[in-house]
Amino acid sequence: ATTEIYTLSLHDALPILDAVLYNGAGSDPAGAFSFVLQPSALVNLRSNEAVGLEHFAQDQQVHALAGIGNPQRFFATLEALHLRPVPHAFPDHAAYSAEQLNFSPALPLLMTEKDAVKCRAFAAADWWYLAVDAQPSPAFVAWFDARLERLIAR
């Protein structure tokens, strides 16, 4: 059996894209839409228990793990939630082991949901991920609703 892999540059793909969305843009850029990620809950990696964002006391020090393109954004989000993160930035798409994440001093570990998927199998009892909800701009919602209406009308 033969497997063929096709790749397109963003420039090549633009004619087939319906919309471009930017995370964290203050307003809709020209020809595109913005969205923000709004924290919604803390979820325990072991038990899957979801708790409110106020679960930890204000100014609680926590280890913060982020293997994403902009780890500083995650750390700033935790600070905005009145936590004091001890940042542990890893490369985007990093693979993890329990040994790598055995940080000192012993504090709860908060991470992105993306990282939690890779850590669930060896998670400690005090490991949590920050669940977020994407909140698109009103212009995107209106545009998307119109696209759906057209598709439904077919």
Side-chain angles (χ1 to χ4, degrees):
T2 303
T3 302
E4 293 182 12
I5 299 174
Y6 297 95
T7 59
L8 291 174
S9 70
L10 181 57
H11 176 73
D12 294 334
L14 284 177
I16 60 172
L17 290 177
D18 289 329
V20 176
L21 291 113
Y22 288 94
N23 181 10
S27 60
D28 290 335
F33 302 100
S34 65
F35 73 95
V36 295
L37 296 177
Q38 185 66 40
S40 58
L42 293 167
V43 181
N44 186 277
L45 270 68
R46 271 203 187 163
S47 68
N48 216 32
E49 172 191 15
V51 297
L53 298 173
E54 69 288 341
H55 178 73
F56 293 108
Q58 280 198 9
D59 294 321
Q60 164 82 42
Q61 192 172 29
V62 296
H63 288 291
L65 168 69
I68 56 176
N70 185 354
Q72 210 45 50
R73 183 182 295 166
F74 178 67
F75 304 144
T77 299
L78 295 179
E79 288 171 352
L81 294 172
H82 306 290
L83 297 172
R84 291 187 317 143
V86 177
H88 302 279
F90 283 79
D92 200 6
H93 305 291
Y96 303 108
S97 68
E99 294 76 29
Q100 282 180 298
L101 306 183
N102 187 17
F103 303 123
S104 189
L107 299 168
L109 174 61
L110 275 60
M111 63 186 72
T112 69
E113 190 166 2
K114 176 182 168 184
D115 293 315
V117 170
K118 302 174 197 174
C119 298
R120 192 175 301 273
F122 53 86
D126 61 350
W127 290 13
W128 302 81
Y129 72 82
L130 181 64
V132 295
D133 296 325
Q135 295 189 335
S137 70
F140 174 77
V141 173
W143 174 86
F144 192 70
D145 285 347
R147 295 285 291 196
L148 288 176
E149 289 296 327
R150 283 199 302 271
L151 287 172
I152 291 169
R154 287 185 178 178

